[in-house]
Amino acid sequence: MENQKPKIVVITPVKNEAWILDRFLAVTSEFADHIIIADQNSNDGSQAICKNYPKVTLIENKSESFNESGRQLLLIQAARDLVPEHKIILALDADEILAANAIHTASWQAMLKAKPGTVLCFEKPDLFVTTHQCLRTGILTPLGYVDDGAEHQPQKIHSVRIPMPEYATRLHIHDIKVIHYGVTRLDAHASKLRLYSVIENVLEVGHSIGRRSRYPSKPDYLSLGKLETATPEWFTGWEERGIDMHTIIKQKYYHYDFEVLRYFHKYGIQRFWMEDIWKYDWEACRQYAQSIGITNIPDHPIPKPAKILDSIKILDITMSMVTQSYRYIGSILKPSMKLG
């Protein structure tokens, strides 16, 4: 098996990703042997786009709710069923595009020669606002696995996407970049943060104070990484093949906020008062969603942001006091903790 060239199988969950899906599939078709898409009830034409690419196997994720662990297990099992032989599984989201110079690197050849049971870790520069600049942290993210059939043990949310058995070795790949387009649309990214905050509330992940820190309404993006010029070689090779690498499609409303409206409908808005999501005009979003036939959303007006913020102001003050208390207690305990 060590001398056998592995098949490259890309597994990707999709829910209303038409804005980027053509680009993703055009690029991925250039290097992957198989692309498995698990589509979760898209209504924006994503499934039709998938059918234009011969390497795509489209499977349906019929879940009506957030199911990160379920969709990861679904995709990994589909990869193993479709390609039982020696393979590399790459778990990429639709807005994560392999850099054009990747396949010409020494690391690409090292990846192809890696033994089963190897975790592949890549840097994901975040294109920021435009495709000509990016935020870089230098962090390498596990996105690939040279498959040996190991069990995948996902978490409920923000789970590592591939198996991570204790015995696995890690190949840290520094000269292959996976370009992330997620923050080229800051309004869409803010929409996604609101949804994550609400999902974690429903899943009872952590405390509202922590969620407000993880999903602020006004993120300080420039504190997350070093702002640099995007490397032209990430794009050139794909552009030479006629792939548009720079157009960014924006919308007035995003499906993430329609999902939040469904959570409001199911649980009531009071449950989510402590989330940092109330600087957004939910009533305007609700009216728009209603006008295009989105179902299972509130059928009554949602109070304007100012009214909601007035209602929870005392809770914000309480949270601030609690946070300060935590810090004070921490400052007292810290010296004694060092003694241990």
Side-chain angles (χ1 to χ4, degrees):
M1 180 176 291
E2 291 183 17
N3 296 323
Q4 177 188 352
K5 184 179 178 181
K7 300 289 186 183
I8 297 179
V9 184
V10 174
I11 58 174
T12 302
V14 163
K15 184 167 186 176
N16 292 328
E17 299 287 1
W19 74 281
I20 195 80
L21 195 53
D22 255 320
R23 178 176 301 151
F24 173 79
L25 293 177
V27 166
T28 306
S29 293
E30 292 286 335
F31 68 87
D33 296 290
H34 300 276
I35 306 166
I36 302 176
I37 302 291
D39 183 84
Q40 188 178 7
N41 310 311
S42 291
N43 57 15
D44 68 343
S46 288
Q47 291 195 18
I49 293 172
C50 290
K51 293 174 182 178
N52 293 328
Y53 292 87
K55 290 185 177 181
V56 170
T57 297
L58 180 63
I59 60 178
E60 292 190 21
N61 172 7
K62 292 184 177 296
S63 175
E64 294 293 336
S65 59
F66 180 84
N67 69 336
E68 182 169 319
S69 59
R71 78 192 184 206
Q72 289 181 358
L73 293 168
L74 177 70
L75 282 162
I76 290 171
Q77 189 58 52
R80 289 170 172 169
D81 291 343
L82 180 67
V83 186
E85 62 262 36
H86 185 36
K87 61 185 168 295
I88 293 172
I89 297 175
L90 293 179
L92 301 177
D93 285 348
D95 61 357
E96 296 171 350
I97 312 290
L98 188 75
N101 58 347
I103 60 178
H104 305 297
T105 62
S107 289
W108 188 262
Q109 296 305 314
M111 180 185 81
L112 295 179
K113 295 175 183 176
K115 295 180 179 180
T118 301
V119 173
L120 307 172
C121 303
F122 304 87
E123 184 186 353
K124 289 200 307 178
D126 291 287
L127 299 179
F128 183 59
V129 183
T130 78
T131 56
H132 302 292
Q133 60 182 2
C134 63
L135 293 170
R136 298 182 68 174
T137 65
I139 296 171
L140 300 184
T141 303
L143 297 175
Y145 190 63
V146 186
D147 195 30
D148 64 351
E151 180 185 2
H152 181 47
Q153 299 178 320
Q155 298 177 354
K156 290 189 292 186
I157 188 169
H158 301 316
S159 173
V160 176
R161 305 170 193 174
I162 42 91
M164 296 281 288
E166 291 184 3
Y167 60 79
T169 57
R170 294 198 182 197
L171 181 59
H172 295 97
I173 300 173
H174 294 276
D175 54 351
I176 292 178
K177 310 304 179 188
V178 175
I179 313 166
H180 186 212
Y181 282 75
V183 288
T184 56
R185 308 186 304 170
L186 295 186
D187 54 348
H189 188 253
S191 176
K192 183 181 284 190
L193 294 184
R194 290 191 289 268
L195 175 59
Y196 278 143
S197 184
V198 165
I199 288 172
E200 286 197 9
N201 178 304
V202 172
L203 295 177
E204 298 182 344
V205 175
H207 189 275
S208 59
I209 295 175
R211 289 194 295 272
R212 290 175 72 89
S213 175
R214 286 192 298 278
Y215 310 118
S217 59
K218 293 184 178 181
D220 181 9
Y221 290 102
L222 295 181
S223 70
L224 302 178
K226 183 180 179 182
L227 187 64
E228 298 182 359
T229 301
T231 303
E233 288 75 19
W234 295 347
F235 310 97
T236 304
W238 300 142
E239 291 176 307
E240 289 172 350
R241 290 169 170 79
I243 302 172
D244 173 12
M245 297 295 291
H246 296 285
T247 300
I248 303 299
I249 299 172
K250 298 185 179 182
Q251 301 163 231
K252 184 172 178 59
Y253 295 102
Y254 297 96
H255 75 93
Y256 310 113
D257 284 318
F258 300 154
E259 293 298 317
V260 171
L261 291 176
R262 291 191 175 103
Y263 281 107
F264 287 171
H265 176 71
K266 185 173 183 179
Y267 296 99
I269 66 171
Q270 290 83 359
R271 173 169 183 151
F272 305 105
W273 275 6
M274 294 297 288
E275 311 305 319
D276 191 4
I277 62 173
W278 296 105
K279 295 180 177 69
Y280 182 71
D281 191 341
W282 289 108
E283 174 56 15
C285 181
R286 186 193 72 86
Q287 290 182 19
Y288 177 80
Q290 196 174 49
S291 73
I292 61 173
I294 301 293
T295 58
N296 297 318
I297 63 174
D299 55 8
H300 51 79
I302 299 173
K304 293 289 185 181
K307 292 184 179 180
I308 293 288
L309 291 170
D310 285 343
S311 300
I312 65 173
K313 191 175 294 183
I314 189 169
L315 297 177
D316 269 333
I317 294 171
T318 302
M319 282 196 347
S320 177
M321 293 173 64
V322 170
T323 302
Q324 291 177 20
S325 298
Y326 282 157
R327 290 173 178 167
Y328 176 67
I329 292 170
S331 68
I332 295 175
L333 293 177
K334 200 169 185 181
S336 61
M337 288 172 66
K338 286 183 179 179
L339 294 176

